[in-house]
Amino acid sequence: MGFRETQLTGKETTLVDTLNYGAGLEPGSQRNKDSVLHYFVATHDNEQTLDLYLSRIISTFLESQLPVYAGLKEDPNTVQSRFSRHEVPRSNDEGATLEEYLHNVKVNVIDRATRTASSKQIGHMTSSLPYFHRPLAKLLTAMNQNVVKLETASTTTFLERETIAMMHHEFYGSLYPSSFYKHYMHSFNTALGVFTSGGTVANLTAMWVARNLALGPKADVGFTGVDKEGLFSALNVYGYKGAVIIGSKMLHYSFKKAVDLLGLGDNGLVLVGVDEKFKMKCDELEVVIKEQQEKQLLVISIIGIAGTTETGSIDDLASISRIARKHKIHFHVDGAWGGPLIFSREHASKLAGIEHADTITIDGHKQLYTPMGLGLVLFSNPTMATSIRKTANYIIRKESADLGQFTLEGSRPAGSLHLHAVLHLLGRDGIESLVTRSATLVRQMAQRLSSHPARAFQIIHEPETNILLYRYIPTVLRDKVAARAPLDASEDDLISEVTRRVQTRQATEGEKGFVSRTKVQVLRGDRELRWVDTFRVVMANPLTSWEDVEGVISEQQRIGVAIENEMVEEKHEGLKKEKVVMWVGWPLEL
């Protein structure tokens, strides 16, 4: 049996028909009862054959736009049944040959995997990637560097520090001269920032730094710091009854993990309300800080968001930074999503104040177009890193350049090469064009929805970045919504129900694309906050076209009509008894 290649059409071919297996990859030749060493000593011919096979699979995967497979059409039990083995094979003889294994992975995993690179997938923060990442990933696997220590990453250690310095300069360059970067870029005792596996660990690292700085050593009472003596002792020494982190209600869920891991508990995360644009209310922030101080609670950090996960909104970072400085509180900006706006001359001003952040989180695998698993936290002051420094006798010694002394994670791949490549090959101008284009396209989509001839949609907010929330409006409520008349709770519930059904139907059966769904609070009247379900569009794929956007909208309208009629038959409360007819006056182009 040779390597098999099953296309989406179901047609099966073998590479035996087209490749020369006499080069060392005979059928069954991967099996060896006595030794597995042959897997570690690949020949040029058999590895090249594997590369050709995998290249065909990758091409098929990337070029098949639909279905997106973001929603499962299969019963979950059917999918689970393909992954039901719980015992490890005792030997290769009981397992599978390499060719059998790869074929099974292709059929059971790849063929039905979500097409995150599809131009029609505009619902999540994953996207198509520059092609150069694929050979770079192979290169990194072959090198297998471990950047925890210099001894296993003799050159990539310094490449990583250079990459961090370039990102640091984008956000803090206006505050520091070139001599600053020459001094600190490769300083063994400090760090301009650290790479992580993603934004969650980056945010956790920032909060770890903030806690240790807030509860550092006090020589006058012989206290050696929270990192040495623990949170309970630290709070007693400093005279606090507890500690909290403050952010808006749009805060990323990673901060729930942070307060748990840092010993603050869920109650240690204090949330401030947001305005109609989903930005933190700064006047309320002042009140909340005062309340914590009156309770004798230490405010470890205030979090500003540069691009919320739900709406893409950006907090007033300048105002928050002034409040943080006033109260001498650590100021962290979660810029995992919106941070790359710093590259856009049109949008960088929205990040005003970020240069005053003590720490900043950035995700490379979002709008910097690196593969998944690449986060970064930047330190405004490189000496901050010493507050979390940990060393060992066999690695990450104090006098070394080992990056592991400042990272939460130990062993790490040299994934910084991916961001290093983006910064060099796309450059500032290239990144700017991508970020600006995405924000422009989502604004155009918002305008299209607002002026839809059928009045079938309602946007929830004016997009500030490239994320948009909107709803499908049932026919019976369109006049009322168009007139901006107040909706009662049952009417909002009806809109949410139809929106949920449309999104689910499009995800599983749609032919034009995919959008995700979320739930946010909106203001009703002067004081009432009401939860509503919405579609959520994330426009980040450089390959997404206006035709893709129109396809999603027109399909949602068609599905919406079908859903409304189904709900009429269900005698759903709030809908008229007669069936809805599809509106058919859509112009070809506006």
Side-chain angles (χ1 to χ4, degrees):
M1 178 183 66
F3 283 100
R4 292 172 291 183
E5 186 172 39
T6 305
Q7 304 294 333
L8 294 179
T9 60
K11 182 180 179 181
E12 183 175 276
T13 61
T14 69
L15 288 186
V16 174
D17 299 328
T18 55
L19 297 178
N20 180 12
Y21 264 83
L25 195 61
E26 297 290 344
S29 66
Q30 303 298 321
R31 195 185 304 275
N32 188 320
K33 297 180 182 179
D34 302 319
S35 174
V36 294
L37 291 180
H38 59 276
Y39 283 126
F40 292 81
V41 190
T43 68
H44 170 77
D45 290 333
N46 63 23
E47 192 162 359
Q48 187 177 53
T49 304
L50 280 172
D51 286 344
L52 288 170
Y53 174 64
L54 293 176
S55 293
R56 292 190 177 192
I57 292 177
I58 292 169
S59 295
T60 301
F61 179 81
L62 294 177
E63 291 170 7
S64 58
Q65 293 289 311
L66 290 169
V68 174
Y69 288 111
L72 286 175
K73 297 180 71 172
E74 291 182 294
D75 183 285
N77 292 326
T78 302
V79 179
Q80 292 172 19
S81 68
R82 294 197 289 270
F83 305 94
S84 58
R85 184 167 190 163
H86 64 278
E87 294 181 342
V88 178
R90 290 188 58 83
S91 70
N92 182 246
D93 190 51
E94 295 180 21
T97 64
L98 179 56
E99 57 197 78
E100 290 170 340
Y101 176 77
L102 289 176
H103 174 71
N104 289 334
V105 168
K106 180 187 182 304
V107 172
N108 295 324
V109 180
I110 300 173
D111 285 351
R112 295 176 175 84
T114 306
R115 266 51 175 179
T116 56
S118 170
S119 64
K120 302 178 187 301
Q121 202 283 77
I122 57 173
H124 287 299
M125 295 176 172
T126 46
S127 170
S128 59
L129 298 174
Y131 76 87
F132 55 74
H133 286 307
R134 295 195 288 278
L136 284 180
K138 182 178 179 180
L139 177 64
L140 286 175
T141 301
M143 293 174 64
N144 199 28
Q145 304 291 283
N146 182 359
V147 290
V148 69
K149 54 187 177 291
L150 188 64
E151 292 171 352
T152 54
S154 57
T155 55
T156 52
T157 292
F158 301 106
L159 178 140
E160 184 162 302
R161 283 182 173 271
E162 179 182 64
T163 309
I164 291 170
M166 287 191 284
M167 291 300 299
H168 191 282
H169 183 265
E170 287 300 319
F171 292 93
Y172 295 114
S174 63
L175 305 178
Y176 300 113
S178 296
S179 58
F180 170 88
Y181 291 97
K182 290 180 180 178
H183 178 76
Y184 284 108
M185 183 189 304
H186 296 297
S187 170
F188 289 6
N189 299 316
T190 60
L192 294 169
V194 293
F195 272 96
T196 67
S197 59
T200 291
V201 177
N203 283 332
L204 174 57
T205 301
M207 294 303 96
W208 184 19
V209 168
R211 187 201 66 172
N212 287 7
L213 290 175
L215 297 170
K218 290 188 73 172
D220 57 328
V221 294
F223 178 67
T224 56
V226 64
D227 59 319
K228 301 292 192 301
E229 302 189 31
L231 184 62
F232 181 77
S233 296
L235 292 174
N236 282 335
V237 167
Y238 276 85
Y240 294 111
K241 294 182 178 180
V244 299
I245 291 169
I246 299 176
S248 85
K249 290 184 177 180
M250 304 302 292
L251 209 59
H252 190 261
Y253 74 95
S254 60
F255 290 99
K256 294 180 180 179
K257 300 178 182 180
V259 293
D260 189 0
L261 289 169
L262 293 176
L264 309 184
D266 288 349
N267 293 337
L269 190 60
V270 179
L271 302 181
V272 178
V274 296
D275 59 22
E276 69 281 358
K277 295 181 179 179
F278 301 101
K279 297 170 178 282
M280 180 191 285
K281 294 180 177 178
C282 291
D283 54 346
E284 188 175 319
L285 172 62
E286 284 276 19
V287 173
V288 169
I289 292 172
K290 184 177 180 181
E291 290 174 347
Q292 308 314 306
Q293 292 172 339
E294 290 174 349
K295 296 176 184 177
Q296 291 182 264
L297 298 177
L298 167 67
V299 179
I300 288 176
S301 181
I302 300 172
I303 316 299
I305 310 175
T308 63
T309 306
E310 257 95 4
T311 66
S313 303
I314 300 172
D315 287 334
D316 184 347
L317 302 179
S319 294
I320 298 174
S321 70
R322 285 192 291 270
I323 293 171
R325 287 200 304 274
K326 171 184 172 183
H327 295 279
K328 299 181 180 179
I329 299 172
H330 182 101
F331 175 39
H332 174 66
V333 172
D334 181 1
W337 179 250
L341 289 177
I342 199 74
F343 290 96
S344 172
R345 283 167 290 186
E346 181 179 343
H347 297 286
S349 61
K350 296 175 181 178
L351 300 178
I354 197 170
E355 69 276 11
H356 299 302
D358 295 295
T359 48
I360 302 172
T361 286
I362 301 294
D363 259 349
H365 58 239
K366 289 188 171 73
Q367 294 201 78
L368 290 174
Y369 299 97
T370 73
M372 292 300 299
L374 198 67
L376 177 66
V377 59
L378 301 172
F379 306 132
S380 62
N381 185 336
T383 62
M384 287 180 178
T386 60
S387 68
I388 57 171
R389 189 180 192 184
K390 305 295 177 186
T391 60
N393 291 328
Y394 72 103
I395 58 168
I396 51 178
R397 305 176 187 93
K398 288 184 178 180
E399 70 278 3
S400 74
D402 298 345
L403 293 169
Q405 60 188 313
F406 303 120
T407 59
L408 174 63
E409 297 156 296
S411 297
R412 290 186 299 112
S416 56
L417 179 63
H418 287 291
L419 182 54
H420 192 267
V422 166
L423 297 178
H424 280 80
L425 299 178
L426 301 187
R428 293 198 83 263
D429 292 344
I431 298 171
E432 177 185 30
S433 67
L434 296 175
V435 172
T436 303
R437 178 188 184 275
S438 296
T440 300
L441 192 57
V442 88
R443 285 202 305 267
Q444 292 172 339
M445 184 176 184
Q447 180 60 34
R448 181 71 139 199
L449 292 166
S450 297
S451 59
H452 193 286
R455 301 179 301 166
F457 301 98
Q458 178 193 41
I459 65 170
I460 299 299
H461 66 119
E462 291 294 336
E464 189 168 17
T465 54
N466 48 356
I467 297 178
L468 173 66
L469 304 187
Y470 64 102
R471 309 194 288 173
Y472 178 87
I473 306 300
T475 307
V476 69
L477 292 175
R478 288 178 188 174
D479 288 340
K480 193 170 187 179
V481 170
R484 300 188 178 183
L487 297 173
D488 61 37
S490 64
E491 290 169 331
D492 266 325
D493 289 343
L494 174 60
I495 295 172
S496 289
E497 174 67 19
V498 178
T499 298
R500 285 195 300 269
R501 293 196 189 194
V502 171
Q503 191 274 336
T504 301
R505 182 77 55 85
Q506 188 173 40
T508 55
E509 302 177 16
E511 299 178 351
K512 297 296 184 180
F514 169 82
V515 302
S516 58
R517 188 179 76 231
T518 190
K519 185 188 289 283
V520 294
Q521 283 186 309
V522 296
L523 185 64
R524 292 291 183 254
D526 295 329
R527 301 179 63 85
E528 182 188 0
L529 288 173
R530 191 178 296 164
W531 288 101
V532 298
D533 289 86
T534 73
F535 300 119
R536 174 174 169 268
V537 162
V538 183
M539 201 76 71
N541 193 332
L543 304 181
T544 297
S545 67
W546 185 246
E547 182 181 358
D548 294 323
V549 173
E550 281 201 343
V552 166
I553 295 173
S554 60
E555 185 171 64
Q556 287 180 341
Q557 187 193 1
R558 177 183 59 77
I559 293 174
V561 170
I563 294 293
E564 285 190 67
N565 288 330
E566 291 171 10
M567 293 175 70
V568 167
E569 292 182 0
E570 296 169 9
K571 298 182 180 179
H572 197 285
E573 185 177 349
L575 289 175
K576 293 181 178 179
K577 304 309 177 187
E578 65 270 15
K579 288 193 173 183
V580 178
V581 179
M582 177 74 173
W583 187 90
V584 287
W586 186 268
L588 293 177
E589 274 296 337
L590 291 181

